[in-house]
Amino acid sequence: MTQETLTVLGLETSCDETAAAVVRLSGGRAEVIAERVASQTSDHALYGGVVPEIAARAHVERIDGLIRLVMEEADESWDRLSGVAATAGPGLIGGVMVGLSTAKAIALARGLPLIAVNHLEGHALSPRLAEDIPFPYLLLLVSGGHCQFVFVEGIGRYQRLGSTIDDAAGEAFDKTAKLLGLPGAGGPAVERAAEQGDPKAVDLPRPLLDRPGLDMSFSGLKTAVRRAAEDQPLTDKRRADICASFQTAVADILAARSARAMELVTHMSDNRTFVVAGGVAANKALRTRLEAEARHAGFRFAAPPLKWCTDNAAMIALAGAERLRLGASDPLDTPARARWPLDEASASVAPIYGAGKKGAKA
Ligand code: KG4
Ligand code: ZN
């Protein structure tokens, strides 16, 4: 393991954000030197969801310009970089290929190590961009494509404890926004509307909560939202009430499962830290609710600042730098992957560099 300062360029193109960032890792502390995120929300607005082909083309058009910008802003030269990291999956394959191929071209041209990062590992480590969070910790990863509890033992050591059996929580936010005809990005639109609504107005289910384990389900909630939307005329008041009731139901499900997950990890480690990350972690009502749950369980609570909850390249650069620090890099023929469970991303560094089980530090 090396202790020197590492400066890594990171690229993120797995969904509908094109992003580039330069992150410096020094003595275990991360510093974001420059970052840019170009959202494609308006490119997809007409279609009511992300269109993979449009996303991939938009990544192609924007990625070079973003890289030039962050390199200028960071005042970095190519020969001072330690490596180049890119999301290699999971995600929309066309988009992932754009970012990963760009990173491979830079690595080849500049003689730099390539680090192929699992997007979920980026989210898992994202809270460490802002504060020092020692391993191990319990992570609730809630995004548009994933909803899972993970025991994060160290860099490259991720144990999935439970997950959704159907939709991800972010997907449920997006579908709710679409059903109600709310404009713009789904999650933030529902959150905004919910502020004006009554969370008790609509009776919505909390599926699976009577079952043991940590599995979650959100598809029944989506069906109930559809019924509520068809039940009565969709006035602004009715929309706000459905959003408030929906958001509270999601928070109830995640809070109840988080309480159980915290109870479970007290048997795995003395280190009591509960971290929430991913796009849905940007939801303020949910953060407040989970923070209260953590306090009640005697856990430290952490969540990244909002800009690092949703997709960004700073978290990919950090994951790349952490892997590089541990001596891991990837060959130039590393494939882009549409599917890549987080536990499988462990293999490349786990046997050599994982942290110990109890109370291990970064
Ligand atoms: O992490 P992310 O940017 O992309 C994925 O890896 O999926 O997460 C995007 C998801 C979307 O479903 C979006 O609606 C949701 O995060 N999201 C929110 C909020 N901001 C983004 N959900 C609820 N409240 C928010 N404020
Ligand atoms: Zn994401």
Side-chain angles (χ1 to χ4, degrees):
M1 187 187 302
T2 50
Q3 287 302 331
E4 87 269 35
T5 298
L6 294 170
T7 306
V8 169
L9 169 68
L11 308 179
E12 160 58 38
T13 56
S14 67
C15 191
D16 59 345
E17 262 97 25
T18 317
V22 177
V23 167
R24 191 165 294 147
L25 187 64
S26 187
R29 299 283 307 169
E31 189 190 350
V32 181
I33 311 293
E35 66 172 323
R36 290 277 174 157
V37 180
S39 172
Q40 301 176 4
T41 305
S42 58
D43 300 78
H44 302 283
L46 258 181
Y47 309 98
V50 177
V51 184
E53 179 63 23
I54 293 177
R57 283 167 188 249
H59 290 308
V60 170
E61 282 162 17
R62 289 170 198 172
I63 191 80
D64 292 350
L66 289 180
I67 293 170
R68 199 170 312 121
L69 268 176
V70 294
M71 288 297 285
E72 275 168 24
E73 280 169 17
D75 201 15
E76 262 321 317
S77 66
W78 292 105
D79 38 294
R80 283 208 308 266
L81 279 188
S82 318
V84 52
T87 297
L92 300 174
I93 194 69
V96 176
M97 285 168 67
V98 173
L100 186 60
S101 304
T102 305
K104 286 175 180 176
I106 295 171
L108 184 64
R110 302 286 174 175
L112 293 168
L114 169 78
I115 311 101
V117 173
N118 181 299
H119 180 80
L120 306 178
E121 179 171 41
H123 279 303
L125 301 178
S126 63
R128 290 164 57 91
L129 285 165
E131 49 185 318
D132 184 24
I133 303 173
F135 299 119
Y137 52 81
L138 171 66
L139 165 76
L140 169 59
L141 171 49
V142 262
S143 69
H146 298 86
C147 185
Q148 50 191 244
F149 287 101
V150 179
F151 187 55
V152 180
E153 292 178 67
I155 306 296
R157 294 192 57 160
Y158 310 101
Q159 192 182 330
R160 192 167 50 187
L161 304 175
S163 56
T164 179
I165 57 167
D166 41 54
D167 294 352
E171 204 176 336
F173 269 94
D174 295 335
K175 284 178 182 162
T176 296
K178 196 172 168 184
L179 272 169
L180 299 179
L182 301 177
V190 170
E191 180 169 28
R192 251 188 327 272
E195 282 164 20
Q196 314 299 325
D198 171 7
K200 295 205 179 74
V202 185
D203 191 23
L204 296 173
R206 273 80 171 144
L208 294 192
L209 287 195
D210 52 344
R211 291 221 210 138
L214 294 175
D215 285 347
M216 292 160 278
S217 165
F218 296 96
S219 75
L221 195 50
K222 176 184 65 190
T223 311
V225 164
R226 174 174 299 122
R227 215 170 294 127
E230 288 165 358
D231 243 15
Q232 294 179 23
L234 265 185
T235 58
D236 285 351
K237 170 82 177 92
R238 180 71 177 163
R239 281 196 182 88
D241 284 348
I242 294 175
C243 286
S245 303
F246 164 79
Q247 188 172 273
T248 304
V250 172
D252 281 351
I253 295 168
L254 293 175
R257 281 320 205 205
S258 298
R260 186 171 285 171
M262 285 186 269
E263 160 66 21
L264 178 73
V265 298
T266 52
H267 304 292
M268 300 167 78
S269 159
D270 301 329
N271 202 347
R272 293 175 168 222
T273 306
F274 176 43
V275 166
V276 59
V280 183
N283 187 285
K284 289 179 216 68
L286 180 64
R287 286 166 88 101
T288 307
R289 185 70 191 281
L290 293 178
E291 183 165 18
E293 210 62 56
R295 202 178 318 118
H296 185 249
F299 272 60
R300 172 186 172 191
F301 178 77
L306 301 192
K307 65 175 173 179
W308 292 327
C309 287
T310 45
D311 286 349
N312 64 87
M315 67 184 191
I316 303 302
L318 172 64
E322 292 277 23
R323 284 189 163 253
L324 197 57
R325 182 162 74 101
L326 300 176
S329 63
D330 297 283
L332 289 179
D333 61 354
T334 299
R337 303 188 207 189
R339 222 192 127 269
W340 188 9
L342 182 54
D343 343 27
E344 284 175 23
S346 306
S348 57
V349 292
I352 326 169
Y353 298 112
K357 247 218 152 56
K358 277 214 155 202
K361 295 271 190 291

